[in-house]
Amino acid sequence: MEQFLGDSEDEDGGGIPLQRDSTARALRKGWDKAELLPPDGETQAFEAEASYDLFIKILKILAYLISFGLTLAGAVVSKGILLLMTSQLKVGRQVPFCNGKKRNLEARIEILERIVWSWAILFAFAFPEILTFFRSLRIWMFKQTHRPTLLQFFIPVFFQTCHSLGLSLLVYIILPSMDVVRGAMFTNSLSLVPALFSLLSRRRVSESDNWLILSGMDGLSMVLMIAGLSVWAISKEGTEAWVLPLAALLVSAGWWENYVERGAIFKPMRFLGKLELTHNRYQTYLFLSLWKIVVFFGGLCLSFWVSGDNPSILFSDFYDSFYRHPIRFSEVRPLISNDSLPMITGDELYEQEHEGRSSPAAVHYAIVLQVLTALLAYLSGKFACKIGIQSFSFALALSLSVPDLFPGYLFWDCPKGSFVQNFLIDQHGWVWVLWILAHAWTSIHVWSPKFKRLELGEILFVEPMYSSLLVDQSLLLNRRRIELPIYSNGEEEEEEENVKAYKELRSAEDPSLLEEDNIPKIYACATMWHEIKSEMKEMLKSVFRMDEDQAARRIGRKYFAVMDPDYYELETHIFFDDAFTKKSNAVNVYVKDLVESLEDAGNQVHETEIHLAPPKKFPTPYGGRLEWTLPGGTKLFVHLKDKTLIRHKKRWSQVMYMYYLLGHRLLEREIPVSRKERLAENTFILALDGDIDFKPGAVHLLVDLMRKNKNLGAACGRIHPIGSGLMVWYQKFEYAIGHWFQKATEHVIGCVLCSPGCFSLFRGKALLDKNVMAKYTTTATEPRHYVQYDQGEDRWLCTLLLQQGYRVEYSAASDALTHCPEQFGEFFTQRRRWVPSTMANIFDLLQDYKRTIRTNPDISYPYVGYQMMLMVGSILGPGTIFLMLIGAFNAAFRIPNFDCFLWNIVPVALFIFVCFFTESDTQLMVAQILSAGYALIMVAVVVALLMQIQDDGILAPSSLFLFLVAGSFVIAGILHPLEFDCLPHGLVYYITIPSMYLLLIIYSLMNLHVVSWGTREVVEEETPDKVVAVEIKEEQKNNGLLGFLNSKSGGKKEGSFELSFAGLFKLMCCTKPVEEKYELVQIASSLTDISKRLDSMERPSGSMLGEQRRFSSAAGLRMAESPFFQTIEEETVEEFEDKDSLHSEHPKILEQVEKRNYLVNPEWIDDPDLKDGQVDFLTGQELTFWREMMDKYLLPLMKDAKKEMKDTEELIELRNKSIFFFFMVNAVFVVAIFLLQNQKETIYITWPLGSTYNMTYSGGTLIYLQENSLHLEPIGVMFVGVFAIILSIQFICMLIHRFGTFSHILASTLIDFCSRDVEVVAKDMAFEKEGLAIIRTLQKLKKGQGEGKGRKSRTTVGDVARRKTIQALEERNQELHQRPANIETAFNLAFKELAQSPDKQDKLFRGEREARVTFQQLARRRSTLVDRRTSTMGERMRGSVGERSNSEERQRQGPTFTNPIFRMEEP
């Protein structure tokens, strides 16, 4: 332990210095010891997260228990029902009849009973095959599958045909001839083919494996099965003697695929292993699932033919067998029942015939129970495998109590006699023990699964479904032994090339490098512009959380060799648009806010005061770069973009970081192409907005999706809008139902169409693919491009990924918070961009749907049809809302339909007129007024709906539709308990429906030609303290004295005239009165300018590179070696040597000499708000990259008045066409529905539900009965029906996706059921999580008071009088001075202190034995690693010393000739 504590930092690189400014770490002044503590928000958030984790752990424990119980019960009951069914098939069998009376009755099995139970077994067998057919049909329709070759089709057909035929022989011939005990034993002999194929496929992997022993076990298991079958076959007579082993062989052939390998020694096995059936399996099973039913039915007919019955009776007596039919009973009793008479012998007994009726419900119960229990066992077993709790077994219960739902004449055929005589000797029970051992070895792989979270069903199990008759065997033998990856292309040749390249790479490169290449590398890239400080702080807090999480995982990996499956590498980049002021090269106020917010965000996350080292500053071709090292050791880069040098706006920032991180940092690396391929696959870009707030767990869930599916190009999380006000409430509900239904449906039946750029994970390989990143750089040249490319860049990027065949998914458990518009105008402006861009991108995808379907396996014709229905609904949305308003007016105010039409057309026409002829502000004002009016009307509509429900009844279409929509929302809210509070906001959503689905659509279309973003477009207020020196950009137009004197004028002000002399003094003459406040501002600005110029004149001459600025040594070397900087320096020195002469003769040229160079000493570097950090420079390679990339893609777009006018005209033309199309389509729809509503008495569809009746009586006699039904217009019914279908699809998909999310959460949760010893804990996966929890505790920068589990750093209420304030301040000041500068150093110190103090261990791990054991194991691991490293270093040192002494000895002895490879040389 001492060895570790003393050498940890030296041997592992030590900590990363974060604080270089000694003054910042010094003790505070005596008068400045009062402190401002960070808020409690982070602590409360983590407490809430801890409660949530506890709740999830409880659910995980319940999942363990429930899945185990369901799997066990389902397997046992289904097998028991099967044996009950087969017991009824024995010809001539007589069974006792239980009637509750003391009468000795026996029932004989008639032919009708055999028929009905034979059909029952067939139905039980067919049920999973029908499920397989529909699953294959769904995947064939909604996914892209490959057509199988002839071999890929016929080989599975052959083996599954054998399997189905063997099952029919087993259940119709073998099992009826056995009692249930022998039948249950015989089911353990059905793994003969798997044992044989496992033996033939076994190969030596390495020299150290136990290949010979494993092969011997495979052979032994096969021998045991054959021996047992032989013994049982010999004991049989007639047909059963040869059918018994044949059935066992044929049944076991169904699980052949799981036991063949691609690298098998024997060529036939290797051939079968290379068939690659994964991608074409479902097309094969479209035929094979139905064919297996046909084959099984053929076996049923064969069994009747073998027993001497005509198979045609299966059809002729089908109806009678499933209904009540006669059952004959025989009562056996003696002739004379007098106790005084002698004993009556058996020959003197007689039988009395009775007749009863069968119970058809018994067969129904048996079928349903067998099918459901088998399905339950399959689903619960599959669920357990997916979430990583595959620790269950299938027990076979051989004696079950007869359920009460079966009549008294149904029995299992049980053995009779003593257990030893009957079971062990007569029935050869000892053979069963051999079969159990052989079967256990064949299925031993289920006890040691290679656990991966959320594996696909195709990876977990070989076959798409299960066998209902042998559910336990099918689950055990069908569970995949080797978890093969599913290749996206499905081509064997390309897969072979990948394997070959990988092997070559393994032999050519260091294996450790390849291991590192598999580590996910996450580049968190945020785009910023005009975010306020509070929004910036939320994003920065998320970065600090990621930094802290990555540090804990890195420490565990570095110091303790913890193989954390969630380990990743992190780097954060912030791309700041328009980061400089308009008149100079100084950073603007938003950049300064970011720098100020950085440490505040760190203080809140670490719950203590931290001090980061000043950022390293890089002048760059695009503006500048700031680089921080965070407490956890990860890097934070802030790229400052100058819009005069590089193209601005979000899409171009995304292009910037894609090409920089993927193009320059990855593709330009000098490594083999295969390594680049691996790195690109495991490199992810986490796209963020500047106001996002998330936790590391949300990112882990997205990475899990990426690992699960290599075809996944992008993944997004659940976005939660935050803010205050009615507009935020509306968006909360809108976002909720959008994610619950729309995104979930897209995820389940196809692909998510939009992964929002505020929080999404993109795979680097997908972005680098053709027509993705390169096409994303396309500059808009057509009107549609402006809408699709620049207004909805996130959706367009996802469209490009989908068109290239990549999948986009949605994880509901990955939560992120983002600020949303709080004002009506800001919301409408945002949606003015989103609505047209959404339609444009979906239209682009649908327009080329055939090629997309061919390219993307997850997009199918039904999915395209679903999107088309949504598109039609979106286009007809305004007309639908208009008609709804007409009906609402009519129902609420009892106004005739035509008057309602006029009342609604007037405000709509008025708003259209306003949007055509007024500015945006006026449009928004009118929209807000109309929205308020519509909201009041919608309140009246609620009352009208209730009245209509009362009049028409609850079965009316409007009533049912209302209940359907409201019920689906409520159920969805219940299934999302953490988001249930969004449901009350549905009231705001309801009353704003006319505004959002009518006025917003009109506003968006009318402003289609406006391509500016409109949000956050804040004009920066220039004040004297923000104004900086302005560079000369053009020659003075005027010559002569006034031109010279006014050479430095910043521009003429209206109503004034200026005279100045080289900027030293300025005379300003006002030609008209100006405000005194404005004059003071101008005077202050002039004085500031004069002061700066005097300082520059007094500065000693010299090179700009020699100024008193902090440069790093690496920067100096790069500057000295760069030809570009050498040229700048030489020219600068030459110019400054003549500075005095220039000053006296050419003041204008002097100012040009003093002008700064933006790549050497830009003005922003000296900004005190950016702190006094080192100045560094880009490498020549990176500098070249930026210049070339900017020249090709990112140069600012030059303003061309003619082009802008042409683009505006084309955009207006596009707007007019779009408006005309929308207007005509909605007008036709509205007019048609409106006229049909007025003609409901003539053209209508009768609604069959909720009819009322008018009865006319005369004299108490009914003489007339009239039925009154609701009349519905056909088009409206069709439209509402389509909407109901869409809602039903979305609801079902929401349930499916919710179950997947639940599985995802449980799979990411680890549970310890009991304590373990120190030697065992290292082998458990829970050790990694518990060890990381201890590391997180010890690495906290917050020490002293408040540290520890469950403690708070805040003073409790009521102890003010006893509070030692001054002492606490002094201790706090000393603690801040002694605090480690970074997380790694803090961990080393805390671990050393804790390891040396058992008392502190008792205090920290009080009541937590598991944590204490884990800490002891961590200490042992560390000690072992240090000893191993020390031993290795010692051997190297001894080896180097020995080589040196041997060399000296050889030099003394002279040259030697013993080895011919050495040539003689003179000493």
Side-chain angles (χ1 to χ4, degrees), residues 123-286:
F123 293 152
F125 169 81
F127 179 77
E129 303 305 326
I130 297 298
L131 293 181
T132 303
F133 173 79
F134 283 110
R135 180 179 180 181
S136 303
L137 183 64
R138 177 184 67 85
I139 293 178
W140 177 73
M141 292 176 61
F142 288 93
K143 308 288 183 181
Q144 182 180 356
T145 58
H146 298 273
R147 178 173 297 178
T149 63
L150 290 178
L151 288 176
Q152 290 174 336
F153 178 79
F154 283 108
I155 289 180
V157 169
F158 169 75
F159 281 104
Q160 293 303 321
T161 300
C162 294
H163 178 73
S164 301
L165 182 60
L167 269 179
S168 63
L169 296 178
L170 174 68
V171 298
Y172 290 126
I173 296 179
I174 302 300
L175 293 182
S177 65
M178 300 179 178
D179 56 63
V180 292
V181 176
R182 289 173 61 87
M185 290 191 296
F186 184 73
T187 57
N188 289 282
S189 67
L190 304 178
S191 55
L192 181 59
V193 170
L196 175 62
F197 280 19
S198 177
L199 173 63
L200 298 179
S201 298
R202 186 79 67 179
R203 60 190 176 94
R204 183 185 295 274
V205 179
S206 63
E207 296 296 333
S208 59
D209 65 353
N210 299 320
W211 170 78
L212 187 60
I213 298 177
L214 297 177
S215 300
M217 293 298 296
D218 290 335
L220 179 61
S221 63
M222 185 180 64
V223 169
L224 292 179
M225 289 183 188
I226 294 176
L229 290 173
S230 301
V231 171
W232 275 34
I234 293 174
S235 63
K236 294 289 183 178
E237 297 179 357
T239 305
E240 298 177 3
W242 60 268
V243 172
L244 188 143
L246 177 63
L249 178 66
L250 294 177
V251 170
S252 63
W255 300 297
W256 67 276
E257 187 180 350
N258 196 25
Y259 291 85
V260 295
E261 298 183 15
R262 302 174 57 86
I265 299 177
F266 291 93
K267 188 174 181 179
M269 296 296 102
R270 187 164 61 251
F271 168 76
L272 293 176
K274 291 182 178 181
L275 282 178
E276 189 59 38
L277 304 177
T278 303
H279 295 277
N280 48 56
R281 185 185 310 279
Y282 291 102
Q283 284 202 15
T284 302
Y285 271 81
L286 279 174

Side-chain angles (χ1 to χ4, degrees), residues 197-198 201-203 205 257-264 273 276 278 281 390 442 444-446 448-452 455-462 476-487 495:
F197 280 19
S198 177
S201 298
R202 186 79 67 179
R203 60 190 176 94
V205 179
E257 187 180 350
N258 196 25
Y259 291 85
V260 295
E261 298 183 15
R262 302 174 57 86
E276 189 59 38
T278 303
R281 185 185 310 279
Q390 190 180 324
T442 308
I444 196 173
H445 59 277
V446 300
S448 57
K450 297 179 180 179
F451 168 61
K452 292 182 181 179
E455 286 284 21
L456 297 174
E458 290 81 357
I459 296 180
L460 291 174
F461 295 94
V462 178
L476 289 172
L477 300 177
N478 196 31
R479 177 65 170 91
R480 196 179 291 274
R481 299 167 66 211
I482 303 175
E483 299 182 358
L484 300 174
I486 297 181
Y487 297 94
E495 181 187 347

Side-chain angles (χ1 to χ4, degrees), residues 577-594:
D577 260 319
D578 194 14
F580 298 93
T581 56
K582 297 180 180 179
K583 296 184 179 180
S584 67
N585 191 242
V587 296
N588 60 20
V589 65
Y590 298 102
V591 177
K592 296 179 180 180
D593 287 344
L594 174 67

